[in-house]
Amino acid sequence: QVQLVESGGGSVQPGGSLRLTCAASGSIFRFSTMGWFRQAPGKQRELVATITTSGGITNYADSVKGRFTISRDNAKNTVYLQMNSLKPEDTAVYYCNLKPMLPPRTDYWGQGTQVTVSS
């Protein structure tokens, strides 16, 4: 069983920065693509960023390119999301996602962490 625990959310002014952390239990982390998603009130959950098992390939939503950076530390079973130049439209609950590349390919989700960008 995999558990994902996010931390690092909070309130910040526009232009500020936050770093989200997602710690995973279990032994499949290094065999899994990791991602960050977000869901704003009244909106569908959307992809923010993903990173492959070795960290060699990253993918970002157009809305966060150049401002957010996803990274991972397989030795610590942890994935990060560095968020810079935050905007009010980044306000959402941010969720960590683990997608195993080995069967059974069952997705796992964290409980979410709130990010609020407001002046």
Side-chain angles (χ1 to χ4, degrees), residues 69-89:
T69 302
I70 188 170
S71 61
R72 66 189 294 163
D73 185 338
N74 285 346
K76 296 182 178 180
N77 276 17
T78 302
V79 64
Y80 307 96
L81 185 68
Q82 179 66 44
M83 306 186 294
N84 298 328
S85 302
L86 283 160
K87 305 175 181 180
E89 50 263 43

Side-chain angles (χ1 to χ4, degrees), residues 6 17 22 35 38 50 56 67-68 72 74-75 77 79 88 90 102 109 116:
E6 300 109 330
S17 298
C22 173
R38 66 186 182 187
T50 61
R67 300 187 298 122
F68 290 11
R72 66 189 294 163
N74 285 346
N77 276 17
V79 64
D90 295 318
L102 301 174
W109 294 89
T116 302

Side-chain angles (χ1 to χ4, degrees), residues 24-78:
S25 65
S27 58
I28 65 171
F29 179 85
R30 67 186 64 193
F31 305 113
S32 304
T33 292
M34 297 301 299
W36 287 96
F37 290 71
R38 66 186 182 187
Q39 187 167 18
K43 295 187 177 181
Q44 290 189 330
R45 190 173 297 189
E46 64 175 0
L47 172 70
V48 176
T50 61
I51 187 167
T52 53
T53 54
S54 64
I57 299 175
T58 56
N59 180 53
Y60 296 93
D62 287 343
S63 59
V64 307
K65 281 181 181 176
R67 300 187 298 122
F68 290 11
T69 302
I70 188 170
S71 61
R72 66 189 294 163
D73 185 338
N74 285 346
K76 296 182 178 180
N77 276 17
T78 302

Side-chain angles (χ1 to χ4, degrees), residues 4-24:
L4 302 175
V5 179
E6 300 109 330
S7 60
S11 295
V12 64
Q13 293 186 338
S17 298
L18 285 173
R19 188 194 197 200
L20 304 183
T21 299
C22 173

